[in-house]
């Protein structure tokens, strides 16, 4: 199984590689190297990229992204940042599993031409906002989130890395109408009934797992188990400051209630009604 992320690894270059930095220093500097005190570059700033807020590490290699050659058996896993579960990663499949946070209009055309299977995972905006906020606080490779109030407003304005949550979930939802090989999933459903959602996903992927395999998979993708898995929790990534917040924080539905003020919730709901006009696309903010 091959995993490819449609993202530029440039960000994790010089300052993310302790070995490379040590090789450039003296023996004494190698011995005294302290990863926690390493000087990191300033946080990147968002800029408009074809109508979507991005940062350079995701656009510097744009031509290669767009020229990526998909294979017919590739499986593309798409989510808005901080919205997905590594559910598909745990399936015993031989095709390449490719992850992306790209909005639908940025997906390389070869995926559509090859009629690849695509799994999109969406999470309700309120919890997604809270999770994104804490992620940006601890990830030094992301734009500075500022305080909660300013981040809240920026989320509503769509000035977020990879663009507006509203545009992201709505445009991927609309793509289902013209592209039948797209399976749209909801984070809340995964939390509430993991086994049922696994069954739906396996059916979409043409898999027939045994009851034992489904049970094992259901257990492995439970949040508490994934949080302990170093392959999933990014605990070794030098960009991330776990003293501020863990990469995998809570994974619950409804944590937004611990962050939204009454006034913010009212403002959010009013704004949400204006932007979410398709009655068939329904999100739950509690289960």
């Amino acid at each position: 199984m091959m995993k490819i992320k449609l993202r530029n690894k440039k960000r994790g270059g010089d300052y993310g590689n302790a070995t490379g930095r040590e090789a450039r220093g003296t023996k004494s500097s190698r011995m005294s190297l302290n990863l926690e005190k390493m000087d990191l570059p300033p946080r990147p700033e968002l800029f408009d990229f074809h109508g979507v807020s991005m940062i350079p590490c995701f656009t510097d290699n744009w031509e290669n992204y767009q020229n990526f050659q998909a294979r017919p058996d590739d499986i593309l896993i798409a989510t808005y940042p901080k919205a997905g579960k590594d559910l598909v990663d745990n399936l015993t499949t031989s095709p390449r599993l490719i992850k992306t946070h790209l909005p639908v209009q940025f997906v390389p055309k070869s995926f559509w031409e090859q009629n690849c299977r695509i799994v999109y995972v969406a999470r309700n905006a309120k919890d997604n906002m809270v999770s994104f906020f804490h992620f940006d606080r601890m990830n030094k490779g992301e734009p500075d989130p500022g305080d909660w109030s300013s981040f809240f407003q920026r989320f509503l304005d769509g000035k977020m890395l990879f663009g507006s949550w509203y545009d992201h979930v709505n445009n991927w939802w609309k793509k289902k109408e013209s592209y039948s090989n797209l399976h749209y999933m909801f984070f809340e459903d995964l939390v509430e009934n993991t086994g049922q959602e696994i069954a739906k996903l396996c059916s979409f992927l043409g898999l027939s797992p045994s009851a034992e395999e489904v049970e094992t998979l259901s257990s492995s993708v439970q949040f508490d188990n994934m949080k302990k898995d170093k392959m999933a929790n990014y605990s070794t990534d030098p960009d991330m400051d776990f003293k501020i917040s863990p990469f995998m924080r809570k994974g619950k539905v409804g944590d937004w209630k611990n962050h939204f003020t009454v006034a913010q919730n009212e403002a959010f709901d009013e704004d949400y009604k204006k932007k979410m006009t398709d009655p068939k696309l329904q999100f739950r903010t509690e289960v």
Side-chain angles (χ1 to χ4, degrees), residues 8-29:
N8 191 341
K9 291 296 185 183
K10 183 177 180 181
R11 178 173 59 182
D14 292 340
Y15 67 85
N17 188 329
T19 303
R21 174 164 287 196
E22 289 175 344
R24 292 192 294 271
T26 63
K27 183 177 181 180
S28 61
S29 67

Short mmCIF file of all heavy atoms in Angstrom, two decimals, residues 8-29:
data_model
loop_
_atom_site.label_atom_id
_atom_site.label_comp_id
_atom_site.label_asym_id
_atom_site.label_seq_id
_atom_site.Cartn_x
_atom_site.Cartn_y
_atom_site.Cartn_z
N ASN A 8 3.54 19.73 -0.70
CA ASN A 8 4.96 19.93 -0.88
C ASN A 8 5.68 19.70 0.44
O ASN A 8 5.31 20.27 1.45
CB ASN A 8 5.19 21.38 -1.35
CG ASN A 8 6.61 21.61 -1.83
OD1 ASN A 8 7.50 20.84 -1.52
ND2 ASN A 8 6.79 22.65 -2.59
N LYS A 9 6.71 18.90 0.44
CA LYS A 9 7.45 18.60 1.66
C LYS A 9 8.52 19.66 1.95
O LYS A 9 9.28 19.53 2.87
CB LYS A 9 8.13 17.23 1.56
CG LYS A 9 7.14 16.07 1.55
CD LYS A 9 6.39 15.99 2.86
CE LYS A 9 5.49 14.77 2.91
NZ LYS A 9 4.71 14.70 4.12
N LYS A 10 8.57 20.72 1.17
CA LYS A 10 9.59 21.73 1.34
C LYS A 10 9.58 22.30 2.75
O LYS A 10 10.61 22.63 3.32
CB LYS A 10 9.36 22.84 0.32
CG LYS A 10 10.42 23.94 0.36
CD LYS A 10 10.16 24.94 -0.74
CE LYS A 10 11.19 26.05 -0.72
NZ LYS A 10 10.93 27.05 -1.76
N ARG A 11 8.39 22.43 3.33
CA ARG A 11 8.27 23.00 4.66
C ARG A 11 9.06 22.20 5.68
O ARG A 11 9.58 22.74 6.65
CB ARG A 11 6.80 23.07 5.07
CG ARG A 11 6.61 23.62 6.47
CD ARG A 11 5.15 23.82 6.77
NE ARG A 11 4.40 22.59 6.66
CZ ARG A 11 3.10 22.53 6.84
NH1 ARG A 11 2.41 23.62 7.10
NH2 ARG A 11 2.45 21.39 6.74
N GLY A 12 9.15 20.89 5.48
CA GLY A 12 9.84 20.05 6.44
C GLY A 12 11.31 19.85 6.09
O GLY A 12 11.90 18.88 6.51
N GLY A 13 11.89 20.75 5.31
CA GLY A 13 13.26 20.62 4.84
C GLY A 13 14.29 20.90 5.90
O GLY A 13 14.49 20.15 6.83
N ASP A 14 15.00 22.05 5.76
CA ASP A 14 16.15 22.33 6.63
C ASP A 14 15.81 22.30 8.10
O ASP A 14 16.46 21.65 8.89
CB ASP A 14 16.75 23.70 6.27
CG ASP A 14 17.39 23.67 4.89
OD1 ASP A 14 17.70 22.57 4.42
OD2 ASP A 14 17.57 24.75 4.33
N TYR A 15 14.77 23.05 8.49
CA TYR A 15 14.51 23.16 9.92
C TYR A 15 13.77 21.97 10.49
O TYR A 15 13.67 21.82 11.70
CB TYR A 15 13.76 24.46 10.25
CG TYR A 15 12.36 24.54 9.71
CD1 TYR A 15 11.28 24.00 10.41
CD2 TYR A 15 12.09 25.17 8.50
CE1 TYR A 15 10.00 24.10 9.92
CE2 TYR A 15 10.81 25.26 8.01
CZ TYR A 15 9.78 24.73 8.73
OH TYR A 15 8.50 24.82 8.25
N GLY A 16 13.24 21.12 9.62
CA GLY A 16 12.52 19.94 10.11
C GLY A 16 13.41 18.70 10.14
O GLY A 16 12.95 17.63 10.44
N ASN A 17 14.68 18.86 9.79
CA ASN A 17 15.55 17.71 9.69
C ASN A 17 16.75 17.92 10.60
O ASN A 17 17.70 18.60 10.24
CB ASN A 17 16.00 17.55 8.23
CG ASN A 17 16.75 16.25 8.01
OD1 ASN A 17 17.42 15.76 8.90
ND2 ASN A 17 16.63 15.70 6.81
N ALA A 18 16.72 17.35 11.78
CA ALA A 18 17.79 17.55 12.74
C ALA A 18 19.12 17.02 12.22
O ALA A 18 20.16 17.60 12.44
CB ALA A 18 17.45 16.87 14.07
N THR A 19 19.07 15.90 11.48
CA THR A 19 20.30 15.30 10.98
C THR A 19 21.01 16.24 10.02
O THR A 19 22.21 16.42 10.07
CB THR A 19 19.99 13.97 10.26
OG1 THR A 19 19.32 13.11 11.16
CG2 THR A 19 21.27 13.32 9.78
N GLY A 20 20.23 16.89 9.15
CA GLY A 20 20.82 17.81 8.19
C GLY A 20 21.46 18.99 8.88
O GLY A 20 22.55 19.45 8.51
N ARG A 21 20.85 19.50 9.91
CA ARG A 21 21.39 20.65 10.61
C ARG A 21 22.64 20.26 11.38
O ARG A 21 23.61 20.99 11.44
CB ARG A 21 20.34 21.24 11.54
CG ARG A 21 20.90 22.36 12.41
CD ARG A 21 19.82 23.20 13.03
NE ARG A 21 19.21 24.04 12.03
CZ ARG A 21 18.45 25.09 12.34
NH1 ARG A 21 18.25 25.42 13.60
NH2 ARG A 21 17.90 25.81 11.40
N GLU A 22 22.62 19.09 11.99
CA GLU A 22 23.78 18.63 12.74
C GLU A 22 24.99 18.49 11.84
O GLU A 22 26.11 18.81 12.22
CB GLU A 22 23.48 17.30 13.41
CG GLU A 22 22.50 17.41 14.58
CD GLU A 22 22.16 16.05 15.12
OE1 GLU A 22 22.42 15.06 14.44
OE2 GLU A 22 21.62 15.99 16.23
N ALA A 23 24.75 18.01 10.62
CA ALA A 23 25.86 17.79 9.70
C ALA A 23 26.57 19.08 9.34
O ALA A 23 27.75 19.07 8.99
CB ALA A 23 25.35 17.10 8.43
N ARG A 24 25.86 20.20 9.46
CA ARG A 24 26.46 21.48 9.10
C ARG A 24 27.17 22.13 10.28
O ARG A 24 27.84 23.14 10.14
CB ARG A 24 25.38 22.42 8.57
CG ARG A 24 24.80 21.99 7.23
CD ARG A 24 23.97 23.12 6.66
NE ARG A 24 22.79 23.38 7.47
CZ ARG A 24 21.63 22.76 7.29
NH1 ARG A 24 21.52 21.84 6.37
NH2 ARG A 24 20.59 23.06 8.04
N GLY A 25 27.00 21.59 11.48
CA GLY A 25 27.59 22.21 12.65
C GLY A 25 28.84 21.50 13.12
O GLY A 25 29.35 20.57 12.49
N THR A 26 29.40 21.95 14.24
CA THR A 26 30.56 21.32 14.82
C THR A 26 30.12 20.17 15.70
O THR A 26 28.94 19.99 16.00
CB THR A 26 31.34 22.34 15.68
OG1 THR A 26 30.49 22.75 16.76
CG2 THR A 26 31.73 23.54 14.84
N LYS A 27 31.10 19.40 16.16
CA LYS A 27 30.78 18.27 17.02
C LYS A 27 30.12 18.74 18.31
O LYS A 27 29.16 18.15 18.79
CB LYS A 27 32.05 17.49 17.34
CG LYS A 27 31.79 16.24 18.19
CD LYS A 27 33.07 15.47 18.39
CE LYS A 27 32.82 14.22 19.22
NZ LYS A 27 34.07 13.45 19.43
N SER A 28 30.63 19.86 18.85
CA SER A 28 30.05 20.35 20.09
C SER A 28 28.63 20.83 19.89
O SER A 28 27.78 20.66 20.75
CB SER A 28 30.91 21.50 20.65
OG SER A 28 30.98 22.58 19.73
N SER A 29 28.36 21.44 18.73
CA SER A 29 27.00 21.91 18.49
C SER A 29 26.05 20.75 18.30
O SER A 29 24.90 20.81 18.68
CB SER A 29 26.96 22.83 17.25
OG SER A 29 27.24 22.10 16.08
#
